Amino acid sequence: DTGVSQDPRHKITKRGQNVTFRCDPISEHNRLYWYRQTLGQGPEFLTYFQNEAQLEKSRLLSDRFSAERPKGSFSTLEIQRTEQGDSAMYLCASSQVGNTEAFFGQGTRLTVV
Amino acid sequence: AQSVSQHNHHVILSEAASLELGCNYSYGGTVNLFWYVQYPGQHLQLLLKYFSGDPLVKGIKGFEAEFIKSKFSFNLRKPSVQWSDTAEYFCAVNAYNNNDMRFGAGTRLTVKP
């Protein structure tokens, strides 16, 4: 499968724990996006990388959230001290420079109990 | 910042009925427009996109959308729906040269056989 892959697909964690998600974009894509989607809502933009540089961050991305893309390939999204309000589907997407069509992964569903 | 509104939360149709899903956006500048579809249990997939040129855009599976700049609208249409079109449909917009893609809340389409 050469699409965007995300790991894990599901994560259940206790409130206060840290969690980390991984995204592997389509190999030739140099842009990578993170979105969050809650029930009944469309995806909300969190942050965006071009290669290893994090170029945009939404105000939704509180200081408990951090994203990295150290070598310009895969990316990780970490949430520290999780809260119940963090429960959502976290989506990753990738695209090429000059073409803003984004390809989405299947997402990581986070449940904070 | 741009925003997107989708007028219908849930649409129920019988097979062979015609479909039109509304999408309006708010942004005064040049935009790129998208419709994504999410079939049950699957990831978001691009149906069609508008960057420039002919405002009537044809996508996959017989879908089309018309960009009406004066109305800030990008409605999705299909002349005859099938049971397999049952899915959630999301309209999205990003401002030209901006990677913050904004999604609408989505419209759930149920097609009865």
Side-chain angles (χ1 to χ4, degrees), chain A residues 31 33 35 37 40-43 45 48 56 91 99-102 104-106, chain B residues 32 34 36 38 41 43-44 46 49 51 90 94 98-101 103-105:
Chain A
R31 290 182 170 173
Y33 312 80
Y35 287 83
Q37 186 177 17
Q41 299 296 319
F45 172 81
Y48 146 71
E56 289 181 40
L91 299 169
N99 181 340
T100 59
E101 174 184 343
F104 283 82
Q106 294 210 326
Chain B
N32 300 318
F34 308 83
Y36 280 85
Q38 189 167 29
H43 60 278
L44 283 160
L46 184 70
K49 61 188 178 187
F51 289 168
F90 294 94
N94 67 352
N98 183 326
N99 297 285
D100 179 355
M101 185 183 290
F103 284 80

Side-chain angles (χ1 to χ4, degrees), chain A residues 43-58:
Chain A
E44 297 172 295
F45 172 81
L46 292 179
T47 189
Y48 146 71
F49 291 84
Q50 182 159 311
N51 299 315
E52 65 276 10
Q54 188 173 19
L55 298 185
E56 289 181 40
K57 289 171 62 172
S58 163

Side-chain angles (χ1 to χ4, degrees), chain B:
Chain B
Q2 61 269 26
S3 66
V4 181
S5 58
Q6 293 183 241
H7 315 299
N8 313 101
H9 293 294
H10 190 192
V11 172
I12 302 172
L13 295 173
S14 298
E15 275 195 315
S18 65
L19 170 72
E20 180 159 3
L21 301 182
C23 172
N24 285 87
Y25 66 94
S26 64
Y27 183 72
T30 303
V31 293
N32 300 318
L33 297 156
F34 308 83
W35 275 97
Y36 280 85
V37 61
Q38 189 167 29
Y39 298 104
Q42 295 191 25
H43 60 278
L44 283 160
Q45 300 171 43
L46 184 70
L47 261 184
L48 47 79
K49 61 188 178 187
Y50 172 80
F51 289 168
S52 64
D54 188 344
L56 184 62
V57 179
K58 295 195 184 298
I60 61 171
K61 304 187 180 185
F63 285 91
E64 65 178 31
E66 185 176 11
F67 170 50
I68 303 179
K69 190 174 181 180
S70 61
K71 294 185 178 180
F72 297 90
S73 70
F74 190 56
N75 292 354
L76 181 71
R77 300 194 292 248
K78 185 171 183 178
S80 175
V81 294
Q82 300 172 310
W83 176 79
S84 58
D85 293 325
T86 294
E88 187 129 21
Y89 292 81
F90 294 94
C91 181
V93 59
N94 67 352
Y96 183 72
N97 278 342
N98 183 326
N99 297 285
D100 179 355
M101 185 183 290
R102 296 294 176 99
F103 284 80
T107 296
R108 183 155 60 100
L109 173 65
T110 301
V111 180
K112 295 181 176 179

Side-chain angles (χ1 to χ4, degrees), chain A residues 35-46 60 65 83-91 108-110, chain B residues 38 88 90 103-106:
Chain A
Y35 287 83
R36 180 174 66 189
Q37 186 177 17
T38 53
L39 202 61
Q41 299 296 319
E44 297 172 295
F45 172 81
L46 292 179
L60 292 174
F65 288 70
E83 302 172 356
Q84 285 189 317
D86 297 331
S87 295
M89 177 75 86
Y90 290 84
L91 299 169
T108 295
R109 181 169 296 283
L110 173 66
Chain B
Q38 189 167 29
E88 187 129 21
F90 294 94
F103 284 80

